[in-house]
Amino acid sequence: QVQLVESGGGLVQPGGSLRLSCAASGSIFTIYGMGWYRQAPGKQRELVAAITSGGSTNYADSVKGRFTISRDNAKNTVYLQMNSLKPEDTAVYYCNADLVVFDRTRGDYWGQGTQVTVSS
């Protein structure tokens, strides 16, 4: 009933840039926070960046100054602009949304993940 579809991952050289997008669709009444998480092989999933419905943002220390999260509330879409990418940014990136569906049930929803590989 609710889908989060990510796009924009791929292979990039160190120092390069990528922009991830995540569009939420379905029986959505309202969306509160949205965010991006990542999981590298053998590691736990970690928060990369988050944004509230009002536009307040929060970043992991490892990406501050390099990544920018933004959202378009009219399109139920969140973006992650990633600059100055490093090999250690290599991971599967997941979109997350805290939202309410039409029956007023609130829940946490996840996208399927998109691979980001930073390598020369």
Side-chain angles (χ1 to χ4, degrees):
Q1 293 171 342
V2 174
Q3 284 189 316
L4 272 64
V5 179
E6 299 125 335
S7 61
L11 173 64
V12 63
Q13 292 186 341
S17 298
L18 283 175
R19 188 190 194 215
L20 305 183
S21 299
C22 172
S25 62
S27 305
I28 298 170
F29 178 70
T30 192
I31 302 178
Y32 294 111
M34 300 186 82
W36 291 94
Y37 289 72
R38 67 186 180 188
Q39 188 166 19
K43 295 188 177 182
Q44 289 188 331
R45 190 174 296 189
E46 62 174 358
L47 174 68
V48 176
I51 185 167
T52 68
S53 57
S56 297
T57 59
N58 179 40
Y59 295 94
D61 287 344
S62 60
V63 306
K64 283 181 180 176
R66 300 189 297 122
F67 291 10
T68 302
I69 189 171
S70 60
R71 64 190 282 178
D72 184 333
N73 291 331
K75 296 181 179 179
N76 289 342
T77 299
V78 63
Y79 307 96
L80 186 68
Q81 177 66 44
M82 305 186 293
N83 298 329
S84 302
L85 282 160
K86 304 175 181 180
E88 50 263 45
D89 295 318
T90 295
V92 178
Y93 284 69
Y94 296 91
C95 172
N96 171 268
D98 172 17
L99 58 84
V100 177
V101 295
F102 285 158
D103 68 2
R104 302 302 190 264
T105 301
R106 184 171 181 172
D108 224 20
Y109 292 82
W110 294 88
Q112 80 285 356
T114 186
Q115 177 70 45
V116 171
T117 301
V118 185
S119 175
S120 55

